[in-house]
Amino acid sequence: MAVVASAPGKVLMTGGYLILERPNAGLVLSTNARFYAIVKPLHDEVPADSWAWVWTDVKLTSPQLARETMYKLSLKQLTLQCTSQSETRNPFVEHAIQYTIAAAYASFDEVKKQTLRNLLLQGLDITILGCNDFYSYRDQIEACELPLTPESLGSLPPFASITFNAEESNGYMRKPEVAKTGLGSSAAMTTAVVAALLQYLGVANLPTKEDKSRDNKDLDLVHMIAQSAHCLAQGKVGSGFDVSSAVFGSQRYVRFSPEVLSSAQGALQWKPLEEVVSDILKGHWDHERTNFSLPPLMTLLLGEPGAGGSSTVSMVGAVKKWQKSNPESYLETWRNLSEANALLESQLSLLSKLATESWDAYKCIVGKCSVLKLEKWMEQAADPSEEAVVKALLGARDAMLSIRHHMRYLGEAAGIPIEPESQTRLLDATMNMEGVLFAGVPGAGGFDAVFAVTLGDSTISITKEWTSRNVLALLVREDPQGVCLESSDPRAAEVTSGISSIQIQ
Ligand SMILES: Nc1ncnc2c1ncn2[C@@H]1O[C@H](COP(=O)(O)OP(=O)(O)O)[C@@H](O)[C@H]1O
Ligand SMILES: C[C@@](O)(CCOP(=O)(O)OP(=O)(O)O)CC(=O)O
C-alpha cells in the first residue's frame, strides 16, 4: 500500500533576518502550494535468502525533473550510496531518508526492529511532486504568447516540468538551480518525505486533511527529523521557519537554538546514525510556535515581477558582515524592525479579535473598504465597532510601511537589494490600489515574488492591475494546514477533476 503525505510552502511576512536570532519572532503563512511524497515498496516479494542481505534498494523518482535515481541503503550503517549518475542526487531527500530510518530504529524495540528490517528488504520506491506554484512558468507563458494571468497558470498541466535556470553567477542576482517562486520547495519536500516515511515505517500516525489539531506528538517528531535533515542538506543552520511552517502550518515562530543540532554536525560525525538521531530527538528543542493566521476576509496574493529571484544565502552573509562592523547601527535597526514587526502582529491579532467579537460590523466595514482607497476608509465607519476595525486596518498598514522603510535601510546599509527600487515602485503602486491592505517583499527580500494582503473581493481587480504592469499574479493563497496524510496520489485526483490543460514545452 502506498503512503502519500503532503506539506505546504510558505511566505515569511515579517521577521526576515531578525528571525535568525532568538528571541525575535516572525510571522509565517503556509500556502495551498503543497509538496507530495509517495512511498511504497519497490518489490512485492523478497527472495528467501534476503535475511542475509546487508543492502536494500531505494528508488527516487522526480517526474518534474525527469529524474530517476537509484541508491543502495546499508541496513547496518543506515546510510545511502547513490548508484546512478551523481548529478541526479537529491541531498534533501537523501538526508530525510537516512534520518527517518535511523529514527525508526532509535524508537523501536527488537521485535519491531525485525519487522522494520523485513519491510526495508522490500526496498523503497519514493516519488516526489511539487505543485506548480513552487516554480516559475513565466518564461514559458511568455514564449507561448499567453497573457500573464493566473488563468494562464491555471491552464498548465498539474505538476508540470520544471525549468532549470541557466548557470549564472553575478552576486546577489545569482539564480537558483531551478526557476522557483520562493515558497520554500526544499523545506516542503524534506518534510513531506520524512512524514510519508515515518507513516510508512509505522513510527508516526499523521493527521489527515480533516484533522485540524496541531497538537499531535508525532508532528514534533516529523519536525525534529525534517529540520535536522534540511539543515544537513543545506550545509547551514537557518532559522527553520520554513520547516516549522511545512510541519505545523501558519504560525508565529521563534527559532530553535542551533546547538540542538551539534550532534549531527562536524566532529561527532563518527557516531552511528541511530545514536546521532537519538541525541537529536532527546535534545532541548526550544523554538516557540503560536497559532497565527490572517484575519477573516483577508487574502494573501503573490505577484511575480519576473526579475529572476535572489540568493538568500549571500544576502544573509552580507547582512551578517554589516552587523559585525556596525554594531550600533545594527542594534538600532533591529530595535526599529522588531517594534514595527510587533506592531503589525498586534494589529492583525486585534483584527481577528474584532472579527470574532463583532462579526457583522467587521464584515460590513471590510467590505466597504475593499472597494475604496484608504483615504476614504475612516469616513465609512458607521459606529464605534466599525471605527475600531478601520483604526486597526490603518495601524497594520502603517506598521508594514515602517517595516519596509527599515528593511530598505538595512539593504542600503549592507549593500544588498532587500527591497530594490523596482520592487519599491511595484509595492508602492500595489499599496495604492483599492482593496490592498499592505504589500511587501517576503523573507530575505530581493527579486523574488512580492506579496500583498487584500480585503474582501478585491483580488480580481488587483490581479488585472498587476497583469497590466507585467507582473504575474500567482494562484497561491494562504492555507494554514501543515503536513498531512493524503488519501491518494495527487496526480489521480487531478485527472478525475477533469481540469483542462494545455501543453507547454
Ligand atoms: N520537484 C522537485 N523534484 C526534485 N527536487 C526538487 C524539486 N523541487 C525542488 N527540488 C530541489 O530543491 C532545491 C530547491 O531548494 P532551495 O534552493 O532551498 O529552494 P527553496 O527556497 O524553494 O527551498 C532545488 O535545487 C532542487 O534540487
Ligand atoms: C533571511 C531569513 O531570515 C529569511 C529567508 O526567507 P526566504 O523566504 O527568503 O527564504 P528562502 O526560501 O530560503 O529563500 C533567513 C532565515 O530565516 O533562515
Side-chain angles (χ1 to χ4, degrees):
M1 246 297 264
V3 167
V4 187
S6 71
K10 53 70 197 170
V11 172
L12 185 68
M13 201 165 61
T14 68
Y17 303 100
L18 271 73
I19 200 178
L20 287 162
E21 295 160 24
R22 283 171 62 81
N24 297 320
L27 297 179
V28 53
L29 302 178
S30 54
T31 67
N32 58 353
R34 298 186 78 84
F35 219 103
Y36 296 81
I38 305 162
V39 179
K40 55 182 196 240
L42 193 54
H43 315 292
D44 288 337
E45 279 168 29
V46 285
D49 66 351
S50 66
W51 60 269
W53 291 357
V54 285
W55 297 94
T56 190
D57 297 316
V58 177
K59 181 170 134 191
L60 174 64
T61 311
S62 170
Q64 290 158 294
L65 292 176
R67 278 183 186 168
E68 217 178 79
T69 315
M70 288 305 300
Y71 296 93
K72 289 275 177 207
L73 171 75
S74 156
L75 292 168
K76 208 157 164 245
Q77 267 97 33
L78 311 182
T79 48
L80 287 168
Q81 278 188 20
C82 182
T83 52
S84 301
Q85 281 175 326
S86 63
E87 58 270 22
T88 67
R89 288 184 58 173
N90 185 323
F92 294 99
V93 177
E94 287 171 25
H95 281 93
I97 298 171
Q98 294 176 157
Y99 270 56
T100 308
I101 295 176
Y105 273 100
S107 44
F108 281 173
D109 60 22
E110 284 313 313
V111 178
K112 279 190 163 176
K113 275 185 184 158
Q114 193 50 47
T115 318
L116 173 65
R117 193 186 141 83
N118 291 341
L119 186 58
L120 289 175
L121 284 172
Q122 283 187 273
L124 291 170
D125 183 349
I126 304 176
T127 303
I128 48 173
L129 296 160
C131 282
N132 290 350
D133 313 272
F134 283 102
Y135 313 103
S136 173
Y137 293 96
R138 220 189 126 105
D139 288 353
Q140 290 94 316
I141 288 180
E142 280 174 343
C144 292
E145 295 183 3
L146 288 168
L148 266 185
T149 60
E151 289 73 29
S152 297
L153 278 173
S155 65
L156 291 172
F159 309 109
S161 316
I162 306 166
T163 324
F164 283 90
N165 272 326
E167 193 74 41
E168 255 180 66
S169 184
N170 49 355
Y172 306 113
M173 279 291 285
R174 189 176 60 80
K175 291 187 179 174
E177 182 195 7
V178 294
K180 54 179 187 161
T181 50
L183 294 176
S185 54
S186 62
M189 173 169 67
T190 308
T191 303
V193 170
V194 167
L197 263 178
L198 282 173
Q199 180 86 23
Y200 178 77
L201 301 177
V203 194
N205 207 355
L206 299 177
T208 58
K209 265 220 157 85
E210 294 69 40
D211 183 356
K212 302 281 176 224
S213 148
R214 302 191 202 179
D215 292 324
N216 175 326
K217 272 266 156 275
D218 290 349
L219 289 184
D220 290 328
L221 182 65
V222 175
H223 176 251
M224 288 185 281
I225 301 173
Q227 181 61 78
S228 314
H230 192 249
C231 282
L232 262 106
Q234 275 196 320
K236 66 164 178 120
V237 184
S239 69
F241 75 91
D242 44 1
V243 177
S244 189
S245 57
V247 178
F248 297 102
S250 295
Q251 61 189 268
R252 176 188 193 270
Y253 175 80
V254 177
R255 71 159 306 150
F256 59 93
S257 301
E259 298 75 52
V260 73
L261 291 181
S262 52
S263 164
Q265 292 173 308
L268 300 176
Q269 278 298 336
W270 50 265
K271 264 197 186 181
L273 203 52
E274 199 182 318
E275 263 180 59
V276 171
V277 173
S278 178
D279 285 349
I280 289 172
L281 299 183
K282 281 189 260 161
H284 178 51
W285 287 84
D286 54 0
H287 57 286
E288 289 166 32
R289 175 177 53 82
T290 333
N291 285 351
F292 174 88
S293 59
L294 285 180
L297 306 181
M298 290 190 193
T299 306
L300 172 74
L301 281 187
L302 284 172
E304 213 196 318
S310 313
S311 161
T312 302
V313 180
S314 41
M315 306 249 289
V316 169
V319 168
K320 286 195 167 157
K321 198 166 151 214
W322 170 79
Q323 284 178 298
K324 273 209 186 103
S325 43
N326 299 275
E328 277 173 29
S329 180
Y330 145 59
L331 285 175
E332 196 191 326
T333 309
W334 252 227
R335 204 169 32 246
N336 291 335
L337 271 169
S338 67
E339 271 172 29
N341 289 343
L343 188 62
L344 181 63
E345 183 188 332
S346 69
Q347 297 303 304
L348 291 174
S349 301
L350 176 60
L351 283 160
S352 293
K353 188 166 159 266
L354 293 172
T356 316
E357 284 171 2
S358 36
W359 171 246
D360 290 340
Y362 179 90
K363 187 176 166 208
C364 177
I365 189 70
V366 170
K368 284 191 255 180
C369 294
S370 71
V371 290
L372 294 169
K373 292 210 178 194
L374 87 143
E375 300 81 33
K376 298 248 161 47
W377 289 2
M378 196 43 108
E379 64 199 51
Q380 304 303 313
D383 59 35
S385 308
E386 293 193 6
E387 205 179 296
V389 175
V390 178
K391 268 195 189 150
L393 291 174
L394 294 174
R397 211 184 141 86
D398 284 346
M400 181 50 87
L401 283 171
S402 173
I403 293 171
R404 286 185 49 206
H405 172 82
H406 296 299
M407 282 295 226
R408 272 197 306 271
Y409 171 79
L410 175 61
E412 278 156 27
I416 48 165
I418 292 182
E419 192 192 285
E421 246 178 81
S422 58
Q423 300 283 53
T424 300
R425 279 195 299 274
L426 170 61
L427 293 173
D428 287 346
T430 304
M431 281 188 74
N432 259 326
M433 292 175 193
E434 283 156 16
V436 174
L437 182 60
F438 53 74
V441 284
F447 295 93
D448 290 347
V450 298
F451 74 90
V453 170
T454 66
L455 301 176
D457 299 325
S458 53
T459 47
I460 298 177
S461 59
I462 294 159
T463 55
K464 272 196 189 136
E465 286 205 47
W466 272 355
T467 301
S468 70
R469 292 179 161 267
N470 205 27
V471 173
L472 174 59
L474 304 182
L475 292 164
V476 180
R477 298 287 181 271
E478 188 206 2
D479 180 349
Q481 166 110 49
V483 71
C484 72
L485 192 63
E486 298 280 340
S487 53
S488 58
D489 185 322
R491 291 167 295 185
E494 297 289 356
V495 171
T496 48
S497 73
I499 289 175
S500 68
S501 62
I502 52 156
Q503 206 61 45
I504 284 193
Q505 300 301 322

PDB file of all heavy atoms in Angstrom, residues 86-106:
ATOM      1  N   SER A  86      25.800  11.026 -10.488  1.00  0.00           N
ATOM      2  CA  SER A  86      25.755  11.863  -9.278  1.00  0.00           C
ATOM      3  C   SER A  86      24.948  13.154  -9.469  1.00  0.00           C
ATOM      4  O   SER A  86      24.413  13.694  -8.511  1.00  0.00           O
ATOM      5  CB  SER A  86      27.165  12.184  -8.802  1.00  0.00           C
ATOM      6  OG  SER A  86      27.811  12.936  -9.775  1.00  0.00           O
ATOM      7  N   GLU A  87      24.829  13.656 -10.713  1.00  0.00           N
ATOM      8  CA  GLU A  87      24.086  14.917 -10.874  1.00  0.00           C
ATOM      9  C   GLU A  87      22.577  14.759 -10.626  1.00  0.00           C
ATOM     10  O   GLU A  87      21.849  15.746 -10.527  1.00  0.00           O
ATOM     11  CB  GLU A  87      24.356  15.606 -12.229  1.00  0.00           C
ATOM     12  CG  GLU A  87      24.039  14.807 -13.458  1.00  0.00           C
ATOM     13  CD  GLU A  87      25.232  13.973 -13.935  1.00  0.00           C
ATOM     14  OE1 GLU A  87      26.129  13.681 -13.126  1.00  0.00           O
ATOM     15  OE2 GLU A  87      25.237  13.608 -15.121  1.00  0.00           O
ATOM     16  N   THR A  88      22.128  13.504 -10.530  1.00  0.00           N
ATOM     17  CA  THR A  88      20.698  13.313 -10.250  1.00  0.00           C
ATOM     18  C   THR A  88      20.432  13.184  -8.749  1.00  0.00           C
ATOM     19  O   THR A  88      19.304  12.957  -8.329  1.00  0.00           O
ATOM     20  CB  THR A  88      20.144  12.055 -10.957  1.00  0.00           C
ATOM     21  OG1 THR A  88      20.759  10.909 -10.368  1.00  0.00           O
ATOM     22  CG2 THR A  88      20.392  12.059 -12.441  1.00  0.00           C
ATOM     23  N   ARG A  89      21.485  13.295  -7.930  1.00  0.00           N
ATOM     24  CA  ARG A  89      21.308  13.121  -6.477  1.00  0.00           C
ATOM     25  C   ARG A  89      20.461  14.235  -5.886  1.00  0.00           C
ATOM     26  O   ARG A  89      20.435  15.354  -6.391  1.00  0.00           O
ATOM     27  CB  ARG A  89      22.675  13.124  -5.778  1.00  0.00           C
ATOM     28  CG  ARG A  89      23.452  11.864  -6.052  1.00  0.00           C
ATOM     29  CD  ARG A  89      24.738  11.868  -5.286  1.00  0.00           C
ATOM     30  NE  ARG A  89      24.503  11.988  -3.845  1.00  0.00           N
ATOM     31  CZ  ARG A  89      25.456  11.873  -2.940  1.00  0.00           C
ATOM     32  NH1 ARG A  89      26.692  11.642  -3.306  1.00  0.00           N
ATOM     33  NH2 ARG A  89      25.176  11.989  -1.660  1.00  0.00           N
ATOM     34  N   ASN A  90      19.772  13.916  -4.799  1.00  0.00           N
ATOM     35  CA  ASN A  90      18.953  14.915  -4.126  1.00  0.00           C
ATOM     36  C   ASN A  90      19.288  14.877  -2.621  1.00  0.00           C
ATOM     37  O   ASN A  90      18.778  14.050  -1.879  1.00  0.00           O
ATOM     38  CB  ASN A  90      17.463  14.600  -4.345  1.00  0.00           C
ATOM     39  CG  ASN A  90      16.562  15.671  -3.774  1.00  0.00           C
ATOM     40  OD1 ASN A  90      16.846  16.241  -2.723  1.00  0.00           O
ATOM     41  ND2 ASN A  90      15.473  15.951  -4.452  1.00  0.00           N
ATOM     42  N   PRO A  91      20.197  15.781  -2.176  1.00  0.00           N
ATOM     43  CA  PRO A  91      20.676  15.724  -0.787  1.00  0.00           C
ATOM     44  C   PRO A  91      19.566  15.893   0.247  1.00  0.00           C
ATOM     45  O   PRO A  91      19.635  15.309   1.330  1.00  0.00           O
ATOM     46  CB  PRO A  91      21.673  16.885  -0.677  1.00  0.00           C
ATOM     47  CG  PRO A  91      21.611  17.631  -1.960  1.00  0.00           C
ATOM     48  CD  PRO A  91      20.847  16.826  -2.969  1.00  0.00           C
ATOM     49  N   PHE A  92      18.522  16.654  -0.075  1.00  0.00           N
ATOM     50  CA  PHE A  92      17.423  16.852   0.888  1.00  0.00           C
ATOM     51  C   PHE A  92      16.727  15.512   1.155  1.00  0.00           C
ATOM     52  O   PHE A  92      16.508  15.119   2.291  1.00  0.00           O
ATOM     53  CB  PHE A  92      16.408  17.875   0.359  1.00  0.00           C
ATOM     54  CG  PHE A  92      16.984  19.252   0.233  1.00  0.00           C
ATOM     55  CD1 PHE A  92      17.432  19.727  -1.001  1.00  0.00           C
ATOM     56  CD2 PHE A  92      17.101  20.074   1.336  1.00  0.00           C
ATOM     57  CE1 PHE A  92      17.981  20.991  -1.121  1.00  0.00           C
ATOM     58  CE2 PHE A  92      17.653  21.345   1.233  1.00  0.00           C
ATOM     59  CZ  PHE A  92      18.095  21.804  -0.005  1.00  0.00           C
ATOM     60  N   VAL A  93      16.398  14.813   0.070  1.00  0.00           N
ATOM     61  CA  VAL A  93      15.686  13.547   0.222  1.00  0.00           C
ATOM     62  C   VAL A  93      16.622  12.490   0.823  1.00  0.00           C
ATOM     63  O   VAL A  93      16.215  11.693   1.664  1.00  0.00           O
ATOM     64  CB  VAL A  93      15.084  13.102  -1.126  1.00  0.00           C
ATOM     65  CG1 VAL A  93      14.397  11.757  -0.990  1.00  0.00           C
ATOM     66  CG2 VAL A  93      14.094  14.145  -1.630  1.00  0.00           C
ATOM     67  N   GLU A  94      17.897  12.505   0.423  1.00  0.00           N
ATOM     68  CA  GLU A  94      18.846  11.523   0.976  1.00  0.00           C
ATOM     69  C   GLU A  94      18.922  11.651   2.498  1.00  0.00           C
ATOM     70  O   GLU A  94      18.822  10.660   3.230  1.00  0.00           O
ATOM     71  CB  GLU A  94      20.242  11.734   0.382  1.00  0.00           C
ATOM     72  CG  GLU A  94      20.342  11.289  -1.057  1.00  0.00           C
ATOM     73  CD  GLU A  94      21.657  11.694  -1.712  1.00  0.00           C
ATOM     74  OE1 GLU A  94      22.672  11.896  -0.995  1.00  0.00           O
ATOM     75  OE2 GLU A  94      21.674  11.825  -2.946  1.00  0.00           O
ATOM     76  N   HIS A  95      19.108  12.878   2.996  1.00  0.00           N
ATOM     77  CA  HIS A  95      19.187  13.061   4.453  1.00  0.00           C
ATOM     78  C   HIS A  95      17.860  12.712   5.112  1.00  0.00           C
ATOM     79  O   HIS A  95      17.840  12.135   6.197  1.00  0.00           O
ATOM     80  CB  HIS A  95      19.604  14.495   4.804  1.00  0.00           C
ATOM     81  CG  HIS A  95      21.085  14.712   4.650  1.00  0.00           C
ATOM     82  ND1 HIS A  95      21.647  15.196   3.502  1.00  0.00           N
ATOM     83  CD2 HIS A  95      22.097  14.470   5.499  1.00  0.00           C
ATOM     84  CE1 HIS A  95      22.960  15.247   3.649  1.00  0.00           C
ATOM     85  NE2 HIS A  95      23.260  14.815   4.860  1.00  0.00           N
ATOM     86  N   ALA A  96      16.761  13.071   4.441  1.00  0.00           N
ATOM     87  CA  ALA A  96      15.436  12.765   5.006  1.00  0.00           C
ATOM     88  C   ALA A  96      15.277  11.247   5.177  1.00  0.00           C
ATOM     89  O   ALA A  96      14.833  10.773   6.221  1.00  0.00           O
ATOM     90  CB  ALA A  96      14.334  13.324   4.106  1.00  0.00           C
ATOM     91  N   ILE A  97      15.691  10.472   4.173  1.00  0.00           N
ATOM     92  CA  ILE A  97      15.546   9.002   4.253  1.00  0.00           C
ATOM     93  C   ILE A  97      16.430   8.451   5.377  1.00  0.00           C
ATOM     94  O   ILE A  97      15.974   7.690   6.235  1.00  0.00           O
ATOM     95  CB  ILE A  97      15.930   8.343   2.902  1.00  0.00           C
ATOM     96  CG1 ILE A  97      14.989   8.808   1.781  1.00  0.00           C
ATOM     97  CG2 ILE A  97      15.910   6.819   3.008  1.00  0.00           C
ATOM     98  CD1 ILE A  97      15.418   8.378   0.379  1.00  0.00           C
ATOM     99  N   GLN A  98      17.699   8.852   5.373  1.00  0.00           N
ATOM    100  CA  GLN A  98      18.635   8.303   6.376  1.00  0.00           C
ATOM    101  C   GLN A  98      18.187   8.624   7.801  1.00  0.00           C
ATOM    102  O   GLN A  98      18.169   7.762   8.674  1.00  0.00           O
ATOM    103  CB  GLN A  98      20.039   8.857   6.138  1.00  0.00           C
ATOM    104  CG  GLN A  98      20.629   8.377   4.825  1.00  0.00           C
ATOM    105  CD  GLN A  98      21.993   8.983   4.511  1.00  0.00           C
ATOM    106  OE1 GLN A  98      22.756   8.410   3.765  1.00  0.00           O
ATOM    107  NE2 GLN A  98      22.305  10.125   5.066  1.00  0.00           N
ATOM    108  N   TYR A  99      17.794   9.895   8.028  1.00  0.00           N
ATOM    109  CA  TYR A  99      17.398  10.311   9.375  1.00  0.00           C
ATOM    110  C   TYR A  99      16.097   9.646   9.812  1.00  0.00           C
ATOM    111  O   TYR A  99      15.928   9.306  10.974  1.00  0.00           O
ATOM    112  CB  TYR A  99      17.274  11.848   9.429  1.00  0.00           C
ATOM    113  CG  TYR A  99      18.580  12.476   9.822  1.00  0.00           C
ATOM    114  CD1 TYR A  99      19.735  12.228   9.088  1.00  0.00           C
ATOM    115  CD2 TYR A  99      18.685  13.282  10.948  1.00  0.00           C
ATOM    116  CE1 TYR A  99      20.938  12.767   9.453  1.00  0.00           C
ATOM    117  CE2 TYR A  99      19.894  13.832  11.326  1.00  0.00           C
ATOM    118  CZ  TYR A  99      21.015  13.569  10.570  1.00  0.00           C
ATOM    119  OH  TYR A  99      22.217  14.095  10.949  1.00  0.00           O
ATOM    120  N   THR A 100      15.175   9.462   8.867  1.00  0.00           N
ATOM    121  CA  THR A 100      13.895   8.865   9.247  1.00  0.00           C
ATOM    122  C   THR A 100      14.074   7.396   9.603  1.00  0.00           C
ATOM    123  O   THR A 100      13.526   6.912  10.600  1.00  0.00           O
ATOM    124  CB  THR A 100      12.874   9.010   8.093  1.00  0.00           C
ATOM    125  OG1 THR A 100      12.841  10.369   7.705  1.00  0.00           O
ATOM    126  CG2 THR A 100      11.488   8.581   8.525  1.00  0.00           C
ATOM    127  N   ILE A 101      14.868   6.688   8.809  1.00  0.00           N
ATOM    128  CA  ILE A 101      15.074   5.263   9.106  1.00  0.00           C
ATOM    129  C   ILE A 101      15.833   5.122  10.433  1.00  0.00           C
ATOM    130  O   ILE A 101      15.502   4.280  11.271  1.00  0.00           O
ATOM    131  CB  ILE A 101      15.790   4.561   7.927  1.00  0.00           C
ATOM    132  CG1 ILE A 101      14.854   4.588   6.710  1.00  0.00           C
ATOM    133  CG2 ILE A 101      16.164   3.123   8.297  1.00  0.00           C
ATOM    134  CD1 ILE A 101      15.432   4.039   5.438  1.00  0.00           C
ATOM    135  N   ALA A 102      16.803   6.003  10.653  1.00  0.00           N
ATOM    136  CA  ALA A 102      17.543   5.958  11.928  1.00  0.00           C
ATOM    137  C   ALA A 102      16.599   6.249  13.096  1.00  0.00           C
ATOM    138  O   ALA A 102      16.699   5.629  14.158  1.00  0.00           O
ATOM    139  CB  ALA A 102      18.687   6.963  11.901  1.00  0.00           C
ATOM    140  N   ALA A 103      15.653   7.170  12.897  1.00  0.00           N
ATOM    141  CA  ALA A 103      14.694   7.491  13.965  1.00  0.00           C
ATOM    142  C   ALA A 103      13.804   6.290  14.249  1.00  0.00           C
ATOM    143  O   ALA A 103      13.467   6.020  15.406  1.00  0.00           O
ATOM    144  CB  ALA A 103      13.831   8.687  13.568  1.00  0.00           C
ATOM    145  N   ALA A 104      13.461   5.549  13.197  1.00  0.00           N
ATOM    146  CA  ALA A 104      12.636   4.349  13.393  1.00  0.00           C
ATOM    147  C   ALA A 104      13.407   3.340  14.237  1.00  0.00           C
ATOM    148  O   ALA A 104      12.896   2.813  15.224  1.00  0.00           O
ATOM    149  CB  ALA A 104      12.257   3.757  12.042  1.00  0.00           C
ATOM    150  N   TYR A 105      14.673   3.081  13.868  1.00  0.00           N
ATOM    151  CA  TYR A 105      15.487   2.140  14.653  1.00  0.00           C
ATOM    152  C   TYR A 105      15.641   2.635  16.089  1.00  0.00           C
ATOM    153  O   TYR A 105      15.584   1.853  17.036  1.00  0.00           O
ATOM    154  CB  TYR A 105      16.862   1.944  14.003  1.00  0.00           C
ATOM    155  CG  TYR A 105      16.846   0.848  12.960  1.00  0.00           C
ATOM    156  CD1 TYR A 105      16.760   1.147  11.605  1.00  0.00           C
ATOM    157  CD2 TYR A 105      16.892  -0.501  13.339  1.00  0.00           C
ATOM    158  CE1 TYR A 105      16.729   0.143  10.640  1.00  0.00           C
ATOM    159  CE2 TYR A 105      16.856  -1.511  12.382  1.00  0.00           C
ATOM    160  CZ  TYR A 105      16.769  -1.186  11.037  1.00  0.00           C
ATOM    161  OH  TYR A 105      16.723  -2.183  10.101  1.00  0.00           O
ATOM    162  N   ALA A 106      15.821   3.959  16.244  1.00  0.00           N
ATOM    163  CA  ALA A 106      16.053   4.505  17.590  1.00  0.00           C
ATOM    164  C   ALA A 106      14.814   4.364  18.469  1.00  0.00           C
ATOM    165  O   ALA A 106      14.926   4.286  19.691  1.00  0.00           O
ATOM    166  CB  ALA A 106      16.469   5.976  17.498  1.00  0.00           C
TER     167      ALA A 106
END
